[in-house]
Amino acid sequence: MPLTKRCVAEFFGTLWLVLGGCGSAVLAGQFLDSSGAFNLGIGFLGVSLAFGLTVLTMAYAIGHISGCHLNPAVSFGLWAGGRFPSSELLPYIVAQVLGGIVGAGIIYIIATGQAGFAIDPSVGNPLATNGFGDHSPGGFSLLACFVCEVVMTFFFLMIILGATDFRAPVGLAPVAIGLALTLIHLISIPVTNTSVNPARSTGPALFVGGPLFAQLWLFWVAPILGALLAGWFYATFFSVDREPTAQVESVKPVV
């Protein structure tokens, strides 16, 4: 498959991840009924499932085309694990970031179409932005948020690398990876609003700006560091040489 077509797949896949995941948080996370007495929103659990479902659905849709990384950290982790060529890192990352920006732009257009909706970058996490300190949903410190993002991304990549290993059960990687992302969100939404994905963080931060855009650096550095550590660790301790004819082919790397 030509690199251009694979990058197009990464663009639309990442757009879907941001639209489905961040969109569910912004548009459906909290929703009061007409009386204002009952919250009909999907909450943390629903948002966590939405992020997992975006990956699960896209893995089956474009995993055979681009590998369905949808995340610069994943591309770096697969590269560190010897699964992805360095020559394709930059094109993939550009496509992913552009997809994240367009996805966030669609959410912005929809959200601002509701009377009374306003983006205040000094309060909370508008457009499902990520943050630390005052912009951590639970008020967690910079160090706590950094450690959380490194560790969550490390385990995310360990699951990706293990589920897509040629020794793993064929065809089930998207399920394992989608559920892993769901679990990661259940753990870390209160801490950072969950990034583990620089492209997912960049799109909303660009539209919100201000102090949340100033905090974006952490959500590039920490996920990529965690992914690189996982790629190195898996390749060093768990990888084995493929037996040329005896092994059944595994699915392509997906996330």
Side-chain angles (χ1 to χ4, degrees):
M1 184 70 66
L3 178 59
T4 301
K5 291 185 178 180
R6 286 184 280 133
C7 287
V8 170
E10 286 293 304
F11 169 85
F12 281 107
T14 311
L15 188 160
W16 181 239
L17 183 146
V18 171
L19 182 59
C22 297
S24 69
V26 174
L27 304 173
Q30 291 185 333
F31 190 85
L32 299 178
D33 69 350
S34 57
S35 69
F38 298 100
N39 180 15
L40 305 177
I42 60 176
F44 281 2
L45 177 58
V47 173
S48 300
L49 285 169
F51 272 100
L53 288 171
T54 61
V55 170
L56 175 61
T57 52
M58 269 296 149
Y60 283 114
I62 66 169
H64 56 287
I65 298 171
S66 68
C68 193
H69 300 186
L70 315 186
N71 182 340
V74 170
S75 297
F76 271 108
L78 292 173
W79 167 77
R83 305 270 193 95
F84 192 65
S86 57
S87 61
E88 297 182 359
L89 268 175
L90 182 59
Y92 262 55
I93 291 170
V94 170
Q96 292 156 2
V97 171
L98 290 175
I101 293 170
V102 174
I106 294 171
I107 298 169
Y108 177 83
I109 292 170
I110 296 171
T112 54
Q114 182 182 38
F117 182 89
I119 292 177
D120 184 356
S122 65
V123 178
N125 298 82
L127 296 187
T129 46
N130 302 112
F132 56 84
D134 291 340
H135 293 286
S136 159
F140 287 83
S141 68
L142 168 59
L143 177 60
C145 293
F146 182 83
V147 170
C148 181
E149 287 291 323
V150 170
V151 172
M152 292 300 117
T153 312
F154 176 88
F155 279 99
F156 192 32
L157 264 295
M158 289 292 289
I159 292 165
I160 292 167
L161 290 162
T164 58
D165 195 302
F166 71 90
R167 297 164 290 174
V170 177
L172 296 179
V175 177
I177 296 165
L179 289 175
L181 190 60
T182 299
L183 176 57
I184 286 167
H185 278 78
L186 288 172
I187 297 168
S188 60
I189 285 178
V191 184
T192 63
N193 223 18
T194 310
S195 171
V196 301
N197 183 340
R200 167 262 185 271
S201 298
T202 299
L206 278 174
F207 283 91
V208 173
L212 284 159
F213 184 76
Q215 293 188 353
L216 179 61
W217 65 269
L218 183 140
F219 303 102
W220 276 86
V221 174
I224 290 174
L225 176 59
L228 291 173
L229 290 171
W232 168 82
F233 188 90
Y234 195 93
T236 302
F237 294 101
F238 296 152
S239 289
V240 298
D241 292 334
R242 181 192 294 265
E243 296 179 14
T245 58
Q247 299 290 345
V248 177
E249 289 292 325
S250 172
V251 294
K252 295 182 73 173
V254 290
V255 60

